[in-house]
Amino acid sequence: MSTLLSVDNLTKSFARGGIFGRTEFVAVDHVSFSLESATPEIFAIIGESGSGKTTLARMVLNTMSPSSGVIRFQGTDISRLRTGRDRLQFMRKVQPIFQNPSEAFNPLKRVDRYLFASAYHFAGCRSRDGREIAADEALKKVGLSLAEVKGRFPHELSGGQLQRTAIARALISSPALIVADEPVSMVDASLRMSIVNLFKTLRDELKVSIVYITHDLATAYYISDRVLILQKGKVVEMGSARQVLSEPHHPYTVRLRESILSLDDVERVHTSG
Amino acid sequence: MEEAALSVQNLRAYYVTGHFGMQREVRAVDDVSLSVRKNEIYGIAGESSCGKSTFIKTVAAAIRPPLRVLGGSIKYSFLDRDLYDLDERKLADIRWNHLSFIPQGSMNVLNPVRRIRESFQDFAFPHMGLGRSEFFDVVNRHLERLQLSPSILSAFPHELSGGMRQRVAIALATVCRPEFIIADEPTTALDVVVQKDVLALILETQREIGSSMIFVTHDLTVHANISNRLGIMYAGRLIEEGPTREIFHDPLHPYSRHLVASLPRIGDLTPKIALTGAPPNLAQPPSGCRFHPRCPLATDLCRQASPELTTLSSGRRVACYAVASAPATRPMTNDRMTNDKFKSF
Ligand SMILES: Nc1ncnc2c1ncn2[C@@H]1O[C@H](COP(=O)(O)OP(=O)(O)O)[C@@H](O)[C@H]1O
Ligand SMILES: Nc1ncnc2c1ncn2[C@@H]1O[C@H](COP(=O)(O)OP(=O)(O)O)[C@@H](O)[C@H]1O
Ligand code: SF4
Ligand SMILES: [Mg+2]
Ligand SMILES: [Mg+2]
């Protein structure tokens, strides 16, 4: 079985200046996990803010280099991608989606430009028609069409349309892996479900694996196959999403579980008050 | 009946802008009536841009152009006349003292270049009628009650974590023991663990000082944990209102039913179906019921006429033709989050 992504003992430390000299701060601490090519999955990385999720995502996306440890994508150590061609090939296959759709788009730039640029750089569409077709196909995969977004500025689209457009952009190059860093933290509950349902469809129909970074345990339970719980840069628990989230073992996971607001509290709060 | 802490009647607040002689109106709050009882936490829910913050700005007398109040009345129990009949000086008197505000980003109240102590001095000191050292005694005691160390007074906002800053904003909003507190998404930017603590703090403080409160958030799970009653807004209108518990058990309006049914929960793997379409543009809201383009139960009537918010025999209020024509006393379902009609959503 071939491995899509393997993360092996990944560590990132930052220097923090102090009066008595610099100290090392370890943001990601010996993290290891792997995803298999044959079984596309939604792999959730859960942790509070500051636990190192974004730092881990940046290293997987090859936009930040680790202090130690190795990341292999389809067997290749990504720190050894030297030529422009190899890097482009990697960026095609591993695409990011960010937290806040309105920050991912420049407010003064039409959103279709992002789609056309991806079609040009990552899908090799040199003709204008080719770019439009590629953009339209990608938008259809997320339940939109080019007709709905063509010529529009970010503020002319709803938050949901914008996040879907960001996902469509990521799909243009037919990636094998999407790294989504808190993609639903800034969107409404009703929209949140349409985005996470879309991730399921991408996994099942397009066979894309998704690293889903979140602090929302309920959506992670709903869509993920496996979860990794990160506390202060360290993996404290990893396994099947149902198991880890229904019967957590590590005290930290238990604490996270207990902190999520339960709908059943509606009973407790309102019968006591 | 006991006098309401806040009573809002037929409130209309629009953003009115003129471009090239053309007037454009965004009908962000359109004919909303509700009252908040004494000692109650009244929650307002609804997806983003449905008008929650505009409603809040209007009842907090924080109106700035292009926002304009076009009609309606706002009465607080601690005032002898309508909020909009007060002059600026009187308004400045009631702020913090009688009416205070916890915003989404604590940085909206904490001055980034001033120490926390100075923010307390700027906002709360003028209202307390105390000498400086007595004032700081009160502040210290209040901070301790909220389990904050008085040493945070010498910190700058950026030196504190997000959760800590939000606690400071709560302390600041409650130190004068106001009768009425307005909170706009106060926990939305926080992590789960911190969020739970901050909610507990808000609940405890509200109970301790006996204030009434409007709590706005789009997150229904937060409402389940804090709001006594819940009003749900859609496209500038209040479309359902009732005790939070009853709305969770048996939401009546198709939109509320969708919101409740689509909540993810640990242990529940049933597919959650998202609503199709997007919320309407409030500069050109749909005809009739504003929810009709997304409603699975819409009829011709819904496309033509706008349903009034109607009080049912249970005391709950709902604006939907399909509900008003149903028997007035619907049995409560035990089958809480599911509803057959909604499987098709
Ligand atoms: N470029 C950087 N330099 C120094 N410290 C950093 C840098 N990036 C992140 N950190 C620190 O690393 C820790 C983890 O941050 P991050 O990966 O952003 O966490 P998360 O995404 O889980 O909130 C934080 O304490 C943060 O302050
Ligand atoms: N300054 C403004 N000018 C014009 N329209 C505005 C302004 N602020 C808000 N709006 C519009 O008013 C509507 C309600 O917004 P808001 O009250 O902020 O909603 P919510 O708090 O529920 O997200 C939205 O359509 C929004 O675009
Ligand atoms: S009035 Fe009609 S369109 Fe509006 S919510 Fe009720 S059934 Fe749906
Ligand atoms: Mg992050
Ligand atoms: Mg708002």
Side-chain angles (χ1 to χ4, degrees), chain A residues 127-161:
Chain A
S127 77
R128 186 183 175 155
D129 283 353
R131 288 196 284 277
E132 295 205 347
I133 290 168
D136 191 47
E137 276 175 1
L139 285 163
K140 292 217 163 103
K141 291 174 187 158
V142 301
L144 286 169
S145 65
L146 186 58
E148 289 170 83
V149 306
K150 199 174 171 184
R152 303 281 199 105
F153 288 95
H155 73 267
E156 296 177 294
L157 297 176
S158 72
Q161 288 173 319

Side-chain angles (χ1 to χ4, degrees), chain B residues 226-302:
Chain B
I226 194 153
S227 306
N228 303 113
R229 281 196 304 148
L230 191 56
I232 298 180
M233 286 182 74
Y234 184 80
R237 291 177 174 269
L238 191 64
I239 54 102
E240 177 157 6
E241 179 196 73
T244 309
R245 202 167 154 255
E246 289 177 29
I247 292 186
F248 275 91
H249 277 271
D250 184 26
L252 297 173
H253 192 283
Y255 178 63
S256 325
R257 277 150 73 179
H258 162 72
L259 287 182
V260 171
S262 69
L263 289 170
R265 312 180 349 136
I266 289 185
D268 172 9
L269 285 169
T270 58
K272 304 290 174 193
I273 297 128
L275 208 54
T276 52
N281 172 357
L282 295 182
Q284 286 158 311
S287 64
C289 173
R290 288 183 181 180
F291 188 57
H292 89 250
R294 304 169 83 185
C295 182
L297 309 178
T299 62
D300 283 342
L301 173 64
C302 308

Side-chain angles (χ1 to χ4, degrees), chain A residues 49 188 197 222 265 267 270, chain B residues 47-48 191 225 227 249 267 272:
Chain A
S49 73
D188 281 348
N197 282 336
Y222 174 67
D265 289 346
E267 302 299 329
H270 301 294
Chain B
E47 65 201 311
S48 80
D191 269 354
N225 286 268
S227 306
H249 277 271
K272 304 290 174 193

Side-chain angles (χ1 to χ4, degrees), chain A residues 47-50 53 158 161 164 182 185 187-195 197 200 215-219 221-223 242 245-246 252 255-273, chain B residues 46-48 188 190-196 199 203 207 218-229 244-245 248-249 255 258-260 262-275 278-279 336-337:
Chain A
E48 288 176 83
S49 73
K53 303 183 296 297
S158 72
Q161 288 173 319
R164 281 166 186 273
E182 308 220 27
S185 299
V187 304
D188 281 348
S190 51
L191 250 172
R192 190 173 296 170
M193 295 320 286
S194 82
I195 304 287
N197 282 336
K200 272 190 166 172
H215 59 246
D216 180 11
L217 278 71
T219 55
Y221 179 89
Y222 174 67
I223 60 160
R242 318 284 168 257
L245 296 176
S246 325
Y252 179 70
R255 189 157 78 83
L256 277 182
R257 252 306 317 243
E258 285 169 354
S259 303
I260 62 166
L261 298 171
S262 146
L263 287 176
D264 304 317
D265 289 346
V266 77
E267 302 299 329
R268 208 174 37 70
V269 172
H270 301 294
T271 43
S272 66
Chain B
E47 65 201 311
S48 80
T188 303
L190 306 175
D191 269 354
V192 279
V193 178
V194 185
Q195 183 181 57
K196 184 155 189 163
L199 282 177
L203 200 57
R207 281 183 184 163
H218 69 268
D219 189 340
L220 280 187
T221 323
V222 170
H223 282 302
N225 286 268
I226 194 153
S227 306
N228 303 113
R229 281 196 304 148
T244 309
R245 202 167 154 255
F248 275 91
H249 277 271
Y255 178 63
H258 162 72
L259 287 182
V260 171
S262 69
L263 289 170
R265 312 180 349 136
I266 289 185
D268 172 9
L269 285 169
T270 58
K272 304 290 174 193
I273 297 128
L275 208 54
R336 309 173 52 176
M337 300 301 161

Side-chain angles (χ1 to χ4, degrees), chain A residues 80-98:
Chain A
R80 307 201 166 203
L81 302 172
R82 298 265 183 254
T83 67
R85 236 191 83 185
D86 287 347
R87 284 171 175 263
L88 187 67
Q89 193 59 25
F90 174 79
M91 286 162 75
R92 261 182 204 155
K93 293 195 182 144
V94 183
Q95 282 280 325
I97 293 169
F98 299 107

